[in-house]
Structure formats: structure tokens, C-alpha cells
Amino acid sequence: MKIEFTSQVFKEGRMYVAYAPELDLSSCATTQVKAQKNLLEAVRLFLEEAEKKGSLEEILAEAGFIRRHNRLVGPRFVLTQRVTLPLSATHA
């Protein structure tokens, strides 16, 4: 079985953070490649533990995953953009 999910990588200070929004999991490293590799390992471990505890199907259903052939596919993002929201002085 394979699983498809989104991976977003961004820089935070001197570190790179890889994030899987559908699963709300992240990992970090000093390079993009290592951060991505660490995220894949984190997802694998998370899914293995959820399966051991008997909660994998529930977690994936709540996250919007569906089975397609021999693959679990996460929901597709229809828009990803950077936005700016001005805040009043009381919120700053």
C-alpha cells in the first residue's frame, strides 16, 4: 500500500521545516533534502503506530484520505497562496 500526501518545505531561521498538512506532521533539518527525508520517516512511524493502536483508518478518514486502487490519496489543495492581513495596533 502507498500513501500520497502533500509536503510543504519552508525555511525557519537556519532550519528547513517539511510539513504534511493533511496529517499535521512536520520535521526539520539543516537542508531541504534532509527535512524531506525526516518527514517521510515521521509519517511512516506515525502511520505504523496508528495501525498498531487500531486507529489508522479513523485518522485517515478524518484527514480526508480515500482509497484509490492500491493507494491512499489525501485531499487535493485547490489554492495555496501567501496572504497579508493588516492587524490593528491592539493585536500587534
Side-chain angles (χ1 to χ4, degrees):
M1 177 76 64
K2 293 184 180 183
I3 185 168
E4 289 182 15
F5 59 92
T6 304
S7 173
Q8 299 171 326
V9 180
F10 57 94
K11 193 164 186 183
E12 190 171 281
R14 297 162 95 183
M15 300 295 286
Y16 289 90
V17 178
Y19 178 60
E22 299 95 333
L23 299 167
D24 197 23
L25 292 173
S26 63
S27 192
C28 63
T30 55
T31 69
Q32 291 180 43
V33 172
K34 287 180 184 177
Q36 182 71 24
K37 183 179 177 183
N38 291 346
L39 176 64
L40 295 176
E41 180 68 6
V43 168
R44 186 184 64 76
L45 292 171
F46 172 76
L47 296 175
E48 285 177 1
E49 286 302 310
E51 187 171 38
K52 286 179 189 175
K53 293 181 178 186
S55 59
L56 180 60
E57 293 298 323
E58 181 182 348
I59 288 169
L60 294 175
E62 285 180 12
F65 282 83
I66 58 170
R67 290 188 185 276
R68 200 173 286 155
H69 306 289
N70 196 25
R71 194 172 287 232
L72 289 164
V73 180
R76 299 270 182 220
F77 291 100
V78 295
L79 175 65
T80 300
Q81 68 182 22
R82 189 169 195 88
V83 297
T84 302
L85 175 66
L87 296 176
S88 66
T90 59
H91 292 121

